[in-house]
Amino acid sequence: MISARILVISMSWAVLSAASLICAEDAKPAEAKLMLQRSPVIQELALQPPSLLAFSLPAGPVSAPWIDTPDLSRYREFQFGMNLLAVAKQADRKASEARVIHQRPAVIQELEWRPSRSIGSSPQGDPVKEVLFSFYNGELFRMVVNYDQQKTEGLTDEDMIEAISAKYGTATRPDAKIILFSSLQVYNDSEKVIARWEDPRYSFNLFRSSYQPAFGMLVFSKQVDEQAQAAIVKAIRLDEQEAPQREIEQQKKEEEQSRLEQDKARLVNKAAFRP
């Protein structure tokens, strides 16, 4: 009985040992296979970030698209900052024809220009009737453009805005007025702005004249115009302060001139007088 029991136990132990070996052998190939599969996965994940960066980053610097901005530094062939001689030559005028408006604290001058027109010119000719140039210490800073009434007859505000926008870009419609400073009284009033074209340095303002059914445009250099207006205000104040003294001096000058004329007449008449 004991031998039989020992035999049964020995056979059971052999079966269990064989089963464990079989399980071990079956597990090793699967584990090896799993380990072999993990390596390519890890390698693939490690290679993905550089490939993604390669697509997301540009190979070289990217330049911004070029935009054609309107040139507001000039009106036709007249550019802000031109000196009086250059403007007069361009307009076929003499610099000596410029009017001196103020002499201190800055020199303010004006020059008028009317585009030449031949007799019997066609209605499709230049619509500009006249331009008034203003200079600050000899530098062009402002232009008042008056358009010919006949050449703009029938045109609406929208027609004018469309034509000007084709050259100077998109317009704004500010609720504002502009003052047309000039030695001419007609330009010293304010006009309502119909449309405006501007950039940080220059401003173009379309208006309709209060005195006649015609359009006009005020264009100016913002920085220099501000300086000029400040100088004009000071000049007017100085003129008002000095007005009484100038009147006294003018009266003395007239009295002296009258005395000299009387002395001259006395000499002539005394020599020729016969009782």
Side-chain angles (χ1 to χ4, degrees):
M1 291 294 291
I2 295 174
S3 299
R5 185 179 296 175
I6 294 173
L7 179 61
V8 171
I9 293 172
S10 299
M11 291 177 64
S12 299
W13 180 257
V15 171
L16 292 173
S17 299
S20 62
L21 290 173
I22 293 172
C23 291
E25 290 176 356
D26 292 339
K28 287 180 179 179
E31 183 179 358
K33 183 177 180 181
L34 180 61
M35 293 178 65
L36 290 175
Q37 289 178 347
R38 288 177 181 174
S39 178
V41 172
I42 296 174
Q43 185 177 6
E44 182 181 357
L45 292 174
L47 292 176
Q48 283 180 356
S51 62
L52 291 174
L53 291 174
F55 283 104
S56 61
L57 294 178
V62 179
S63 59
W66 182 76
I67 301 175
D68 185 14
T69 56
D71 182 11
L72 299 178
S73 67
R74 63 173 64 238
Y75 178 78
R76 297 194 177 185
E77 62 270 28
F78 302 100
Q79 185 167 16
F80 292 113
M82 293 177 66
N83 60 45
L84 175 59
L85 291 175
V87 172
K89 182 178 180 181
Q90 187 68 46
D92 195 22
R93 300 294 303 273
K94 296 179 180 179
S96 58
E97 296 176 348
R99 296 185 299 270
V100 178
I101 311 304
H102 300 288
Q103 292 183 322
R104 79 276 186 269
V107 178
I108 306 296
Q109 297 169 284
E110 292 179 347
L111 179 67
E112 286 187 81
W113 172 60
R114 292 175 177 265
S116 58
R117 288 184 173 85
S118 59
I119 299 176
S121 59
S122 64
Q124 289 75 28
D126 195 336
V128 174
K129 180 180 180 181
E130 61 184 0
V131 180
L132 180 68
F133 302 104
S134 296
F135 301 87
Y136 173 77
N137 289 333
E139 176 182 337
L140 178 64
F141 74 95
R142 171 182 278 239
M143 291 173 267
V144 179
V145 182
N146 288 318
Y147 293 106
D148 190 284
Q149 181 178 344
Q150 294 181 350
K151 303 295 177 61
T152 58
E153 185 177 3
L155 295 182
T156 64
D157 293 354
E158 297 300 326
D159 293 333
M160 293 292 293
I161 294 172
E162 180 182 357
I164 298 173
S165 295
K167 182 174 180 61
Y168 295 112
T170 304
T172 60
R173 310 289 185 90
D175 184 14
K177 290 187 176 182
I178 50 175
I179 298 178
L180 309 178
F181 282 102
S182 170
S183 61
L184 302 179
Q185 185 62 37
V186 68
Y187 291 126
N188 290 338
D189 294 329
S190 61
E191 300 287 359
K192 186 180 185 304
V193 176
I194 298 174
R196 175 175 291 166
W197 298 260
E198 65 179 345
D199 62 18
R201 299 182 63 186
Y202 308 106
S203 180
F204 284 53
N205 300 269
L206 177 67
F207 64 91
R208 188 187 288 270
S209 175
S210 302
Y211 298 93
Q212 53 185 346
F215 291 97
M217 189 156 64
L218 169 66
V219 301
F220 60 90
S221 168
K222 293 182 178 180
Q223 180 180 359
V224 184
D225 186 77
E226 183 177 355
Q227 296 172 355
Q229 300 309 330
I232 291 173
V233 171
K234 291 181 180 180
I236 294 174
R237 186 181 300 117
L238 289 172
D239 289 342
E240 292 175 350
Q241 293 173 353
E242 298 172 358
Q245 183 61 32
R246 285 200 308 270
E247 185 177 353
I248 293 174
E249 293 176 355
Q250 181 65 26
Q251 184 176 355
K252 289 182 178 180
K253 184 178 180 180
E254 293 176 355
E255 290 176 353
E256 180 64 17
Q257 182 66 27
S258 178
R259 187 186 64 80
L260 292 175
E261 291 177 354
Q262 288 180 1
D263 289 345
K264 182 178 179 180
R266 175 174 175 270
L267 292 175
V268 172
N269 293 333
K270 183 178 180 180
F273 183 77
R274 294 291 184 269

